[in-house]
Amino acid sequence: MTGIRPLVAGNWKMNGLGSSLAELASLRNRLEAAPVPETDIMVCPPATLLSRAREIVDGSSIMIGAQDCHPLPSGAHTGDISAEMLADAGATAVIVGHSERRTDHGESDTLVQAKALAAYRAGLMAIVCIGETEAHYRDGKTLDILRTQLEGSVPEGARATNTVIAYEPVWAIGSGLTPTPQEVAQVHGLIRTVLGQMLGDAEAGGTRILYGGSVKPSNAAELLFVPEVNGALVGGASLKAVDFYEILSVYAGTRS
Ligand code: PGA
């Protein structure tokens, strides 16, 4: 362990109706029965469920995050949601630059950086996602791509307390495929080095770097105990409390 408090965040994506909040209540119950100490736990439901989700977790250790925000605080942007609105609904963090946003909505590094700044403005933690495509991976371009994404997406004023990096290889998301632990260690080491050049070693040394992409109960221990991995961003396996709890409970009993 590096001494950094890990974060395990569940990204529900465009999944979840009111009835799905029973899973969140179930997660809360599991954590109350068998807590996982010294680990930050977050669930990022769709925006429609944020305030109800917040009520369910109130008084528990579970934090609520959102999945995207608009860079501006308010205005004529039909259908968009500002970081301030997310905070008002009970979120304490927001994912920005997820590869599905970058692909589905053509989000650039510049826009992702503006969204991260919006998160800070609203007092939210920004979970900034980066990751290479399958073609980049095959061509050996992973490290170059990640450096470009980090330099373009992470704001200059980023700090360990307001920013989390999520490394999510695009080809690993929802595919059941994962990089080897050696590959993850190499990439996370590079990310920390680049962050050090951008933010200084003190901030970089305390910044959480999550792994994401096909994390499930069967591979969680193998991926989460890789050096320089400080937690996970979990998609599909976060929808069921039983699976999500099993993933985050790899941290149970690892520290005194
Ligand atoms: P997955 O998604 O766990 O379903 O692969 C991860 C993510 O996109 O955050």
Side-chain angles (χ1 to χ4, degrees):
M1 294 310 297
T2 55
I4 299 180
R5 186 181 169 97
L7 166 66
V8 182
N11 171 13
W12 283 12
K13 309 191 178 184
M14 196 172 73
N15 297 293
L17 302 174
S19 55
S20 316
L21 292 169
E23 293 296 326
L24 189 58
S26 162
L27 179 66
R28 178 182 178 149
N29 291 339
R30 280 167 205 276
L31 282 164
E32 277 168 3
V36 179
E38 295 176 56
T39 303
D40 284 341
I41 297 153
M42 185 185 295
V43 173
C44 304
T48 47
L49 296 180
L50 281 175
S51 48
R52 278 183 283 170
R54 177 59 188 256
E55 281 172 23
I56 288 173
V57 304
D58 255 0
S60 81
S61 60
I62 304 170
M63 298 181 288
I64 295 298
Q67 301 175 14
D68 178 51
C69 67
H70 192 279
L72 294 174
S74 62
H77 300 284
T78 303
D80 278 315
I81 301 177
S82 72
E84 282 77 0
M85 291 169 175
L86 300 174
D88 186 50
T92 55
V94 58
I95 298 168
V96 295
H98 190 280
S99 74
E100 287 150 16
R101 300 286 320 170
R102 291 178 186 260
T103 304
D104 294 357
H105 301 275
E107 294 194 1
S108 64
D109 287 336
T110 310
L111 179 60
V112 174
Q113 187 181 63
K115 292 182 175 201
L117 286 168
Y120 305 158
R121 187 189 63 222
L124 300 178
M125 187 169 77
I127 302 175
V128 181
C129 300
I130 58 171
E132 82 285 2
T133 63
E134 188 177 3
H136 293 141
Y137 176 73
R138 259 193 275 107
D139 295 347
K141 297 246 167 62
T142 299
L143 300 182
D144 291 344
I145 292 292
L146 296 179
R147 177 181 286 278
T148 303
Q149 289 182 340
L150 280 169
E151 289 174 353
S153 309
V154 177
E156 255 177 45
R159 311 191 72 86
T161 46
N162 65 11
T163 305
V164 170
I165 306 298
Y167 167 56
E168 300 203 295
V170 178
W171 52 272
I173 295 176
S175 64
L177 303 171
T178 54
T180 64
Q182 292 75 17
E183 288 172 318
V184 173
Q186 186 197 13
V187 168
H188 279 233
L190 179 276
I191 292 171
R192 204 172 299 284
T193 301
V194 174
L195 286 176
Q197 291 157 357
M198 295 172 60
L199 312 174
D201 287 341
E203 291 304 328
T207 299
R208 284 171 300 184
I209 306 175
L210 313 185
Y211 169 77
S214 294
V215 177
K216 45 191 182 224
S218 58
N219 64 16
E222 172 182 300
L223 290 163
L224 296 188
F225 291 125
V226 169
E228 304 291 358
V229 172
N230 313 117
L233 183 55
V234 183
S238 71
L239 295 171
K240 289 271 164 252
V242 59
D243 291 337
F244 192 51
Y245 179 80
E246 204 174 325
I247 290 169
L248 57 93
S249 65
V250 302
Y251 289 116
T254 57
R255 279 146 295 161
S256 54

